Amino acid sequence: MGSSQHTRQALLDAAEAVFAAQGWSGASIREITSRAGTNVAAVHYHFGGKQELLARVLERRASQLNRARLLRLEELKEAGLSLEGLARAFVEPTLELVARVDGGMVQLHARAMSDPSGPWRELVRDGLFQEVHAAFAEALGELHPDLSRAACFLRLHSMIGALTHLLLRGDALGDGRPPLEPLLVGSTAAEALIQFLAGGLGAPTRSSCRSPLS
């Protein structure tokens, strides 16, 4: 890796950690460059400014995750769609990426979904995950044809929320017993989450539910 590419990579790594910890308003270019071992001019040279740096940080992880999820979805279609397979194809690439990379990837994307300050929502809305979400919503519609497109997206976003919450706050759950084990592919916690999500994805619609009085 050349010197210029090394500097760019160091800035992306540092920015990921700082944006995740401090948010858009609290993150400073000086803290990012200090972590990266470079200077403020390097941010402007490689990225043009703070907002473009954030965009590239989000895009880097999103593109890795998108490729992995779409590949898993294609493999699932060839093998035969199922609700559990759909949940697994969405969840496991996330867990694999989280286990592989350092920094605040999960916290960063949680902020991107929930922090009203700065350009987070605009950046996420403008194409980072739309293709993947549409592909998974379409697959869910094939499995659950009585669901509207809007309902498919709602269930998909509920799945994203449950996954993100457990990655961020799983250690706070419990009833006095030890904290929830780390969410790793194949772990009891991950398998329980996948089964739970598959049940939610396939839950009957209100119109198809039997009345308790019938």
Side-chain angles (χ1 to χ4, degrees), residues 31-100:
E31 182 176 357
I32 291 168
T33 55
S34 176
R35 281 175 174 255
T38 185
N39 54 50
V40 173
V43 171
H44 295 284
Y45 174 78
H46 286 282
F47 301 102
K50 182 178 176 181
Q51 181 163 333
E52 187 65 17
L53 175 58
L54 175 61
R56 299 289 76 79
V57 167
L58 290 170
E59 181 182 70
R60 177 176 66 156
R61 298 305 186 202
S63 64
Q64 294 171 339
L65 194 53
N66 288 342
R67 285 194 299 270
R69 282 174 170 164
L70 288 174
L71 177 60
R72 291 287 296 270
L73 182 58
E74 287 305 310
E75 293 172 346
L76 178 62
K77 287 179 177 179
E78 292 177 6
L81 281 173
S82 68
L83 292 166
E84 180 182 330
L86 199 63
R88 191 175 298 280
F90 196 88
V91 167
E92 288 189 341
T94 307
L95 305 186
E96 290 165 356
L97 184 59
V98 169
R100 190 169 72 246

Side-chain angles (χ1 to χ4, degrees), residues 127-171:
L128 282 181
F129 297 104
Q130 275 77 351
E131 179 186 1
V132 171
H133 291 177
F136 273 80
E138 181 180 352
L140 178 57
E142 292 179 30
L143 289 166
H144 212 324
D146 57 328
L147 286 177
S148 67
R149 179 176 172 81
C152 288
F153 273 98
L154 178 59
R155 293 190 182 200
L156 179 64
H157 283 287
S158 297
M159 178 166 66
I160 294 167
L163 171 60
T164 302
H165 179 75
L166 279 183
L167 284 168
L168 284 170
R169 300 296 300 155
D171 60 346

Side-chain angles (χ1 to χ4, degrees), residues 188-201:
T188 303
E191 290 301 312
L193 174 63
I194 288 167
Q195 295 299 320
F196 173 79
L197 294 175
L201 291 175

